[in-house]
Short mmCIF file of all heavy atoms in Angstrom, two decimals:
data_model
loop_
_atom_site.label_atom_id
_atom_site.label_comp_id
_atom_site.label_asym_id
_atom_site.label_seq_id
_atom_site.Cartn_x
_atom_site.Cartn_y
_atom_site.Cartn_z
N PRO A 1 -16.00 21.20 125.81
CA PRO A 1 -17.45 21.40 125.85
C PRO A 1 -18.17 20.09 126.19
O PRO A 1 -17.67 19.00 125.93
CB PRO A 1 -17.79 21.86 124.44
CG PRO A 1 -16.52 22.45 123.92
CD PRO A 1 -15.42 21.65 124.56
N ALA A 2 -19.34 20.21 126.77
CA ALA A 2 -20.09 19.04 127.24
C ALA A 2 -20.33 18.01 126.15
O ALA A 2 -20.22 16.81 126.38
CB ALA A 2 -21.42 19.50 127.84
N GLN A 3 -20.64 18.45 124.94
CA GLN A 3 -20.90 17.52 123.85
C GLN A 3 -19.64 16.72 123.49
O GLN A 3 -19.71 15.52 123.23
CB GLN A 3 -21.41 18.28 122.62
CG GLN A 3 -21.85 17.38 121.50
CD GLN A 3 -22.45 18.17 120.35
OE1 GLN A 3 -22.30 19.38 120.26
NE2 GLN A 3 -23.14 17.48 119.46
N GLU A 4 -18.49 17.38 123.48
CA GLU A 4 -17.23 16.69 123.19
C GLU A 4 -16.90 15.72 124.31
O GLU A 4 -16.45 14.60 124.06
CB GLU A 4 -16.10 17.69 122.99
CG GLU A 4 -16.25 18.47 121.70
CD GLU A 4 -15.17 19.50 121.50
OE1 GLU A 4 -14.18 19.51 122.28
OE2 GLU A 4 -15.29 20.28 120.55
N ARG A 5 -17.10 16.13 125.56
CA ARG A 5 -16.87 15.23 126.71
C ARG A 5 -17.73 13.99 126.59
O ARG A 5 -17.27 12.87 126.80
CB ARG A 5 -17.16 15.94 128.03
CG ARG A 5 -15.98 16.64 128.63
CD ARG A 5 -16.22 17.00 130.09
NE ARG A 5 -17.51 17.61 130.37
CZ ARG A 5 -17.78 18.89 130.28
NH1 ARG A 5 -16.85 19.73 129.92
NH2 ARG A 5 -18.98 19.35 130.57
N ALA A 6 -18.99 14.18 126.24
CA ALA A 6 -19.91 13.06 126.10
C ALA A 6 -19.45 12.11 124.99
O ALA A 6 -19.53 10.89 125.14
CB ALA A 6 -21.32 13.56 125.81
N ARG A 7 -18.96 12.65 123.89
CA ARG A 7 -18.48 11.82 122.78
C ARG A 7 -17.25 11.03 123.20
O ARG A 7 -17.12 9.84 122.88
CB ARG A 7 -18.17 12.69 121.56
CG ARG A 7 -17.69 11.91 120.37
CD ARG A 7 -18.76 10.96 119.87
NE ARG A 7 -18.24 10.20 118.75
CZ ARG A 7 -18.34 8.89 118.63
NH1 ARG A 7 -18.97 8.19 119.53
NH2 ARG A 7 -17.83 8.28 117.59
N ILE A 8 -16.33 11.65 123.92
CA ILE A 8 -15.13 10.97 124.39
C ILE A 8 -15.51 9.83 125.33
O ILE A 8 -15.02 8.71 125.21
CB ILE A 8 -14.17 11.95 125.10
CG1 ILE A 8 -13.67 13.03 124.13
CG2 ILE A 8 -13.01 11.21 125.75
CD1 ILE A 8 -12.92 12.55 122.93
N ILE A 9 -16.42 10.10 126.25
CA ILE A 9 -16.87 9.06 127.19
C ILE A 9 -17.52 7.92 126.43
O ILE A 9 -17.28 6.74 126.73
CB ILE A 9 -17.80 9.66 128.26
CG1 ILE A 9 -16.98 10.58 129.17
CG2 ILE A 9 -18.48 8.57 129.06
CD1 ILE A 9 -17.80 11.44 130.08
N ALA A 10 -18.32 8.23 125.43
CA ALA A 10 -18.97 7.19 124.62
C ALA A 10 -17.92 6.32 123.92
O ALA A 10 -18.07 5.09 123.85
CB ALA A 10 -19.92 7.81 123.61
N LEU A 11 -16.87 6.93 123.41
CA LEU A 11 -15.82 6.17 122.74
C LEU A 11 -15.10 5.22 123.70
O LEU A 11 -14.68 4.14 123.31
CB LEU A 11 -14.80 7.10 122.09
CG LEU A 11 -15.20 7.73 120.77
CD1 LEU A 11 -14.17 8.78 120.35
CD2 LEU A 11 -15.34 6.67 119.69
N THR A 12 -14.96 5.61 124.96
CA THR A 12 -14.26 4.74 125.92
C THR A 12 -15.05 3.48 126.22
O THR A 12 -14.50 2.50 126.71
CB THR A 12 -13.99 5.46 127.26
OG1 THR A 12 -15.22 5.75 127.91
CG2 THR A 12 -13.16 6.71 127.06
N ARG A 13 -16.32 3.47 125.90
CA ARG A 13 -17.18 2.32 126.20
C ARG A 13 -17.26 1.31 125.06
O ARG A 13 -17.94 0.30 125.20
CB ARG A 13 -18.57 2.81 126.56
CG ARG A 13 -18.55 3.60 127.83
CD ARG A 13 -19.88 4.11 128.21
NE ARG A 13 -19.79 4.83 129.48
CZ ARG A 13 -20.74 5.55 129.97
NH1 ARG A 13 -21.89 5.65 129.34
NH2 ARG A 13 -20.56 6.18 131.11
N VAL A 14 -16.59 1.58 123.96
CA VAL A 14 -16.58 0.66 122.83
C VAL A 14 -15.15 0.28 122.48
O VAL A 14 -14.22 1.04 122.75
CB VAL A 14 -17.30 1.24 121.58
CG1 VAL A 14 -18.75 1.52 121.86
CG2 VAL A 14 -16.60 2.49 121.10
N THR A 15 -14.99 -0.87 121.87
CA THR A 15 -13.68 -1.31 121.41
C THR A 15 -13.29 -0.46 120.20
O THR A 15 -14.15 -0.15 119.37
CB THR A 15 -13.75 -2.79 121.00
OG1 THR A 15 -14.21 -3.53 122.12
CG2 THR A 15 -12.40 -3.31 120.56
N PRO A 16 -12.03 -0.08 120.09
CA PRO A 16 -11.62 0.70 118.91
C PRO A 16 -11.94 -0.06 117.61
O PRO A 16 -11.87 -1.30 117.59
CB PRO A 16 -10.11 0.84 119.09
CG PRO A 16 -9.87 0.63 120.53
CD PRO A 16 -10.92 -0.32 120.99
N PRO A 17 -12.27 0.64 116.54
CA PRO A 17 -12.55 -0.04 115.28
C PRO A 17 -11.31 -0.78 114.78
O PRO A 17 -10.19 -0.40 115.07
CB PRO A 17 -12.94 1.09 114.33
CG PRO A 17 -12.56 2.35 114.98
CD PRO A 17 -12.37 2.08 116.44
N ASP A 18 -11.55 -1.83 114.02
CA ASP A 18 -10.44 -2.63 113.49
C ASP A 18 -9.44 -1.78 112.71
O ASP A 18 -8.24 -2.00 112.79
CB ASP A 18 -10.96 -3.74 112.58
CG ASP A 18 -11.67 -4.84 113.36
OD1 ASP A 18 -11.42 -4.97 114.59
OD2 ASP A 18 -12.49 -5.53 112.76
N ARG A 19 -9.94 -0.80 111.98
CA ARG A 19 -9.03 0.03 111.16
C ARG A 19 -8.08 0.86 112.01
O ARG A 19 -7.07 1.35 111.51
CB ARG A 19 -9.83 0.91 110.21
CG ARG A 19 -10.64 1.98 110.88
CD ARG A 19 -11.36 2.85 109.83
NE ARG A 19 -12.09 3.89 110.47
CZ ARG A 19 -13.39 3.88 110.68
NH1 ARG A 19 -14.12 2.86 110.27
NH2 ARG A 19 -13.99 4.88 111.29
N ALA A 20 -8.39 1.03 113.31
CA ALA A 20 -7.49 1.77 114.20
C ALA A 20 -6.29 0.91 114.58
O ALA A 20 -5.25 1.43 114.99
CB ALA A 20 -8.23 2.23 115.44
N GLY A 21 -6.43 -0.43 114.49
CA GLY A 21 -5.32 -1.32 114.82
C GLY A 21 -5.01 -1.38 116.30
O GLY A 21 -3.86 -1.64 116.68
N LEU A 22 -6.00 -1.14 117.15
CA LEU A 22 -5.79 -1.12 118.60
C LEU A 22 -6.66 -2.18 119.28
O LEU A 22 -7.74 -2.49 118.82
CB LEU A 22 -6.19 0.25 119.17
CG LEU A 22 -5.51 1.47 118.58
CD1 LEU A 22 -6.21 2.74 119.05
CD2 LEU A 22 -4.05 1.49 118.97
N SER A 23 -6.17 -2.69 120.41
CA SER A 23 -6.98 -3.62 121.20
C SER A 23 -7.76 -2.86 122.28
O SER A 23 -8.75 -3.36 122.79
CB SER A 23 -6.10 -4.69 121.85
OG SER A 23 -5.16 -4.08 122.72
N HIS A 24 -7.27 -1.68 122.64
CA HIS A 24 -7.94 -0.83 123.64
C HIS A 24 -7.49 0.61 123.41
O HIS A 24 -6.53 0.87 122.71
CB HIS A 24 -7.60 -1.29 125.06
CG HIS A 24 -6.14 -1.18 125.38
ND1 HIS A 24 -5.22 -2.15 124.97
CD2 HIS A 24 -5.42 -0.23 126.02
CE1 HIS A 24 -4.01 -1.77 125.38
NE2 HIS A 24 -4.11 -0.62 126.01
N TRP A 25 -8.22 1.54 124.00
CA TRP A 25 -7.89 2.96 123.86
C TRP A 25 -6.83 3.37 124.88
O TRP A 25 -6.89 2.97 126.03
CB TRP A 25 -9.12 3.83 124.11
CG TRP A 25 -10.19 3.73 123.09
CD1 TRP A 25 -11.43 3.23 123.27
CD2 TRP A 25 -10.13 4.18 121.73
NE1 TRP A 25 -12.17 3.31 122.11
CE2 TRP A 25 -11.39 3.90 121.15
CE3 TRP A 25 -9.16 4.77 120.94
CZ2 TRP A 25 -11.68 4.20 119.82
CZ3 TRP A 25 -9.45 5.06 119.63
CH2 TRP A 25 -10.69 4.79 119.08
N SER A 26 -5.90 4.18 124.47
CA SER A 26 -5.02 4.91 125.38
C SER A 26 -5.47 6.37 125.29
O SER A 26 -6.18 6.75 124.36
CB SER A 26 -3.56 4.78 124.97
OG SER A 26 -3.32 5.49 123.76
N ALA A 27 -5.07 7.18 126.24
CA ALA A 27 -5.46 8.59 126.20
C ALA A 27 -4.95 9.25 124.91
O ALA A 27 -5.66 10.02 124.28
CB ALA A 27 -4.93 9.33 127.42
N ARG A 28 -3.75 8.93 124.52
CA ARG A 28 -3.17 9.54 123.32
C ARG A 28 -3.89 9.09 122.05
O ARG A 28 -4.16 9.89 121.16
CB ARG A 28 -1.69 9.23 123.22
CG ARG A 28 -0.91 9.96 124.30
CD ARG A 28 0.55 9.55 124.30
NE ARG A 28 1.20 9.94 125.51
CZ ARG A 28 2.09 10.92 125.60
NH1 ARG A 28 2.42 11.59 124.54
NH2 ARG A 28 2.62 11.23 126.76
N GLU A 29 -4.19 7.80 121.95
CA GLU A 29 -4.91 7.30 120.78
C GLU A 29 -6.34 7.82 120.76
O GLU A 29 -6.88 8.13 119.70
CB GLU A 29 -4.89 5.78 120.73
CG GLU A 29 -3.53 5.20 120.41
CD GLU A 29 -2.98 5.65 119.07
OE1 GLU A 29 -3.76 5.82 118.11
OE2 GLU A 29 -1.76 5.83 118.98
N LEU A 30 -6.94 7.93 121.92
CA LEU A 30 -8.30 8.45 121.99
C LEU A 30 -8.34 9.92 121.59
O LEU A 30 -9.33 10.39 121.06
CB LEU A 30 -8.86 8.26 123.40
CG LEU A 30 -10.35 8.39 123.57
CD1 LEU A 30 -11.12 7.49 122.61
CD2 LEU A 30 -10.75 8.06 124.99
N ALA A 31 -7.26 10.65 121.81
CA ALA A 31 -7.19 12.05 121.38
C ALA A 31 -7.03 12.15 119.86
O ALA A 31 -7.59 13.05 119.23
CB ALA A 31 -6.02 12.75 122.07
N LYS A 32 -6.31 11.22 119.27
CA LYS A 32 -6.08 11.26 117.81
C LYS A 32 -7.32 10.85 117.02
O LYS A 32 -7.60 11.42 115.97
CB LYS A 32 -4.94 10.31 117.43
CG LYS A 32 -3.59 10.72 117.92
CD LYS A 32 -2.59 9.65 117.54
CE LYS A 32 -1.26 9.85 118.20
NZ LYS A 32 -0.34 8.74 117.90
N TYR A 33 -8.03 9.85 117.49
CA TYR A 33 -9.13 9.27 116.72
C TYR A 33 -10.25 10.27 116.39
O TYR A 33 -10.60 10.43 115.23
CB TYR A 33 -9.67 8.03 117.43
CG TYR A 33 -10.72 7.31 116.64
CD1 TYR A 33 -10.37 6.55 115.53
CD2 TYR A 33 -12.06 7.40 116.98
CE1 TYR A 33 -11.32 5.89 114.79
CE2 TYR A 33 -13.02 6.74 116.23
CZ TYR A 33 -12.65 5.99 115.15
OH TYR A 33 -13.60 5.35 114.40
N PRO A 34 -10.84 10.96 117.37
CA PRO A 34 -11.92 11.89 117.02
C PRO A 34 -11.45 13.04 116.14
O PRO A 34 -12.22 13.58 115.34
CB PRO A 34 -12.43 12.41 118.35
CG PRO A 34 -11.78 11.62 119.40
CD PRO A 34 -10.65 10.88 118.79
N LYS A 35 -10.19 13.40 116.26
CA LYS A 35 -9.67 14.49 115.41
C LYS A 35 -9.67 14.05 113.95
O LYS A 35 -10.05 14.81 113.07
CB LYS A 35 -8.26 14.87 115.85
CG LYS A 35 -7.71 16.06 115.12
CD LYS A 35 -6.40 16.49 115.70
CE LYS A 35 -5.92 17.75 115.01
NZ LYS A 35 -4.68 18.23 115.56
N ARG A 36 -9.27 12.81 113.70
CA ARG A 36 -9.25 12.29 112.32
C ARG A 36 -10.66 12.07 111.78
O ARG A 36 -10.94 12.36 110.63
CB ARG A 36 -8.51 10.96 112.27
CG ARG A 36 -7.02 11.07 112.35
CD ARG A 36 -6.39 9.74 112.00
NE ARG A 36 -6.94 8.63 112.76
CZ ARG A 36 -6.30 7.97 113.71
NH1 ARG A 36 -5.08 8.30 114.03
NH2 ARG A 36 -6.88 6.98 114.35
N ILE A 37 -11.54 11.53 112.61
CA ILE A 37 -12.85 11.10 112.14
C ILE A 37 -13.91 12.20 112.21
O ILE A 37 -14.73 12.34 111.33
CB ILE A 37 -13.33 9.87 112.96
CG1 ILE A 37 -12.30 8.74 112.88
CG2 ILE A 37 -14.69 9.39 112.53
CD1 ILE A 37 -11.97 8.28 111.48
N GLU A 38 -13.91 12.98 113.31
CA GLU A 38 -15.01 13.92 113.55
C GLU A 38 -14.57 15.37 113.72
O GLU A 38 -15.36 16.21 114.12
CB GLU A 38 -15.77 13.49 114.80
CG GLU A 38 -16.31 12.08 114.69
CD GLU A 38 -16.90 11.58 115.99
OE1 GLU A 38 -17.21 12.40 116.86
OE2 GLU A 38 -17.06 10.37 116.12
N SER A 39 -13.32 15.67 113.49
CA SER A 39 -12.77 17.02 113.65
C SER A 39 -12.92 17.55 115.07
O SER A 39 -13.07 18.75 115.28
CB SER A 39 -13.41 17.99 112.65
OG SER A 39 -13.13 17.59 111.34
N ILE A 40 -12.92 16.66 116.05
CA ILE A 40 -12.91 17.06 117.45
C ILE A 40 -11.46 17.05 117.90
O ILE A 40 -10.80 16.02 117.87
CB ILE A 40 -13.74 16.09 118.33
CG1 ILE A 40 -15.20 16.12 117.93
CG2 ILE A 40 -13.57 16.43 119.81
CD1 ILE A 40 -16.06 15.09 118.64
N SER A 41 -10.96 18.19 118.30
CA SER A 41 -9.57 18.30 118.71
C SER A 41 -9.49 18.46 120.23
O SER A 41 -9.95 19.45 120.79
CB SER A 41 -8.93 19.51 118.02
OG SER A 41 -7.57 19.58 118.34
N VAL A 42 -8.93 17.43 120.87
CA VAL A 42 -8.79 17.43 122.32
C VAL A 42 -7.39 16.93 122.64
O VAL A 42 -6.93 15.94 122.06
CB VAL A 42 -9.83 16.49 122.98
CG1 VAL A 42 -9.70 16.50 124.49
CG2 VAL A 42 -11.24 16.87 122.57
N PHE A 43 -6.70 17.58 123.56
CA PHE A 43 -5.38 17.12 123.97
C PHE A 43 -5.50 15.84 124.80
O PHE A 43 -6.48 15.65 125.51
CB PHE A 43 -4.67 18.19 124.80
CG PHE A 43 -4.26 19.38 124.00
CD1 PHE A 43 -4.90 20.59 124.17
CD2 PHE A 43 -3.26 19.30 123.05
CE1 PHE A 43 -4.54 21.71 123.44
CE2 PHE A 43 -2.90 20.40 122.29
CZ PHE A 43 -3.54 21.61 122.49
N TRP A 44 -4.49 15.00 124.73
CA TRP A 44 -4.55 13.71 125.44
C TRP A 44 -4.65 13.90 126.94
O TRP A 44 -5.31 13.12 127.61
CB TRP A 44 -3.37 12.81 125.06
CG TRP A 44 -2.05 13.26 125.60
CD1 TRP A 44 -1.14 14.04 124.95
CD2 TRP A 44 -1.50 12.95 126.86
NE1 TRP A 44 -0.05 14.25 125.75
CE2 TRP A 44 -0.23 13.59 126.93
CE3 TRP A 44 -1.92 12.21 127.95
CZ2 TRP A 44 0.58 13.50 128.04
CZ3 TRP A 44 -1.10 12.12 129.06
CH2 TRP A 44 0.14 12.76 129.10
N HIS A 45 -4.05 14.95 127.48
CA HIS A 45 -4.14 15.13 128.94
C HIS A 45 -5.55 15.57 129.35
O HIS A 45 -5.99 15.27 130.45
CB HIS A 45 -3.07 16.06 129.50
CG HIS A 45 -2.88 17.34 128.75
ND1 HIS A 45 -3.89 18.19 128.40
CD2 HIS A 45 -1.76 17.91 128.26
CE1 HIS A 45 -3.42 19.22 127.76
NE2 HIS A 45 -2.13 19.08 127.64
#
């Protein structure tokens, strides 16, 4: 959905939080993060 797409795009523009332990986002990590934090479930592909 458009709102989820917008949230994913917004996340790509910021550095991952320190608690994520990442220096940058990968598609797989970006798929895991919103699911844990915001209950947005999106496949990495």
